[in-house]
Amino acid sequence: MRTDISTVAVVGAGSIGGSWTALVLAKGLTVHAADPDPATDERLRAAVGAHLVELDTDIGALDRLHVHTDAAEAAALADLVIESGPERVDLKRELFAALDEAAAPDVVLASSSSGFGPSAFQDACRHAERVVVAHPFNPPHLVPLVEVVGGRMTSEETIEATMTAMTLLGRRPVRVRAELPGHVVNRLQSALWREAYDLVRRGAITVADLDQAVASGPGLRWALLGPIATQHLSGGPGGMAHVLEHLGPPMVDWWDDLGAPELTPELTAQLVDGVRVEMAGRERDVLARRDRALRELIALKQRVGLGDLDQLGDRDQLGDHGDEAR
């Protein structure tokens, strides 16, 4: 599969497609974006221009953006195709069949699908082996995570080429080795949301206080290390073994008490009203501040060597701060 990439087709120019487009342009590559909406050009350029400013990239990068209404036309010009269309299997099957016909046989066809595995639509293609999911974490031009998922017919070469391409784009790809609804990260999020919704339903906490509890507590640590590494460090010299020995049994009791709420109209209204009070109409300002903090946090993690534990420097370089991890 092709790994020498200079041109990327981004199919679907919504929020995810626009974010992918900005990222690719910021890396110095050319983008052929495709969307059937004839008003796409002006809207996409405005959104991508704003993202490029966030990425400290010269707005002149927009000169490397070419917009099409025909997805096959864009795919025929690409070294890599990233699909970000609607989350409907019937549409993806139709779209991937067309992309497969148009793109060169050695070009990876990657879907941004947030929940479907490639097996749901790759059999619509003659070259099913080059179809893969590369699921970004929103917004993909800022957040480095990409989940790479192969299907029943996806080749190992395609997986490797996708991992290489995502690394070239400055992302941190993780390979998901099973096709699961929602992949891995959305399942983890859904587990937290399920309990969060139930705690609000029970009246145990308000929406605003729940958000504050996560953002000012475990969320701070999860932003730096994953939940299992964080748990290991909290165990002191005994690490994960100590944690599981002492907190394992009560944790099982907590699991047994976790809720399984139904998303009733009453609970929906409770959540919607709660977040409306919390935001107080400041959504655009909060979003802008969040994205700025994301950029600064990612830069900080790189600076202190927490961008990737595999690249962590010598212990003496950072100092021994084991006690602070608890």
Side-chain angles (χ1 to χ4, degrees):
M1 301 307 296
R2 195 176 301 188
T3 56
D4 185 12
I5 296 170
S6 62
T7 302
V8 177
V10 176
V11 177
S15 60
I16 298 297
S19 187
W20 273 123
T21 297
L23 174 67
V24 175
L25 292 175
K27 296 299 178 181
L29 308 181
T30 296
V31 175
H32 287 272
D35 195 287
D37 182 357
T40 293
D41 197 315
E42 182 177 356
R43 173 180 54 79
L44 180 62
R45 289 181 187 277
V48 171
H51 294 333
L52 290 174
V53 171
E54 289 182 304
L55 294 171
D56 295 323
T57 300
D58 191 319
I59 202 74
L62 284 170
D63 292 342
R64 287 182 270 107
L65 171 59
H66 309 277
V67 181
H68 309 256
T69 54
D70 183 359
E73 187 178 273
L77 299 167
D79 301 312
L80 169 68
V81 176
I82 300 175
E83 175 270 335
S84 299
E87 196 73 350
R88 285 177 46 187
V89 169
D90 58 334
L91 291 180
K92 289 195 186 298
R93 292 182 63 84
E94 181 181 343
L95 182 55
F96 269 84
L99 296 175
D100 183 57
E101 285 295 320
D106 62 342
V107 169
V108 169
L109 305 182
S111 174
S112 297
S113 175
S114 59
F116 298 126
S119 295
F121 48 86
Q122 68 182 162
D123 62 327
C125 303
R126 286 193 302 160
H127 299 286
E129 73 284 348
R130 45 98 165 257
V131 177
V132 66
V133 162
H135 172 235
F137 206 65
N138 194 24
H141 70 285
L142 296 181
V143 181
L145 174 69
V146 176
E147 294 176 294
V148 177
V149 189
R152 289 189 299 271
M153 292 175 278
T154 306
S155 70
E156 187 65 25
E157 187 183 6
T158 295
I159 296 288
E160 292 173 1
T162 306
M163 299 287 283
T164 298
M166 293 300 113
T167 302
L168 173 70
L169 293 175
R171 303 303 83 189
R172 293 201 174 275
V174 296
R175 181 172 180 179
V176 177
R177 297 177 181 270
E179 288 185 283
L180 302 166
H183 313 314
V184 167
V185 174
N186 278 338
R187 293 172 73 93
L188 291 171
Q189 291 193 122
S190 294
L192 177 61
W193 287 331
R194 183 173 72 175
E195 183 60 15
Y197 294 174
D198 195 59
L199 290 169
V200 170
R201 181 193 64 82
R202 294 188 194 189
I205 195 167
T206 66
V207 169
D209 282 348
L210 187 143
D211 278 339
Q212 189 64 247
V214 174
S216 297
L220 290 173
R221 299 194 297 188
W222 292 339
L224 302 175
L225 296 170
I228 295 178
T230 295
Q231 195 174 30
H232 170 67
L233 292 179
S234 73
M240 192 67 169
H242 177 77
V243 171
L244 293 180
E245 179 183 356
H246 290 273
L247 287 182
M251 185 165 57
V252 172
D253 292 338
W254 303 340
W255 288 346
D256 291 340
D257 192 54
L258 293 178
E262 294 183 19
L263 200 55
T264 61
E266 293 76 18
L267 177 54
T268 298
Q270 195 175 1
L271 294 166
V272 170
D273 290 345
V275 78
R276 177 178 52 78
V277 170
E278 178 185 17
M279 286 291 168
R282 299 169 298 152
E283 282 84 353
R284 291 184 64 179
D285 180 58
V286 171
L287 182 64
R289 291 171 185 264
R290 183 208 68 178
D291 286 354
R292 178 181 174 185
L294 275 175
R295 297 194 301 273
E296 294 183 6
L297 177 59
I298 291 167
L300 172 64
K301 290 181 66 173
Q302 292 292 336
R303 193 161 63 247
V304 302
L306 287 177
D308 189 336
L309 280 185
D310 291 339
Q311 300 172 3
L312 191 63
D314 293 337
R315 180 168 165 170
D316 291 342
Q317 204 173 355
L318 296 177
D320 184 1
H321 300 303
D323 290 340
E324 295 177 12
R326 300 190 183 95

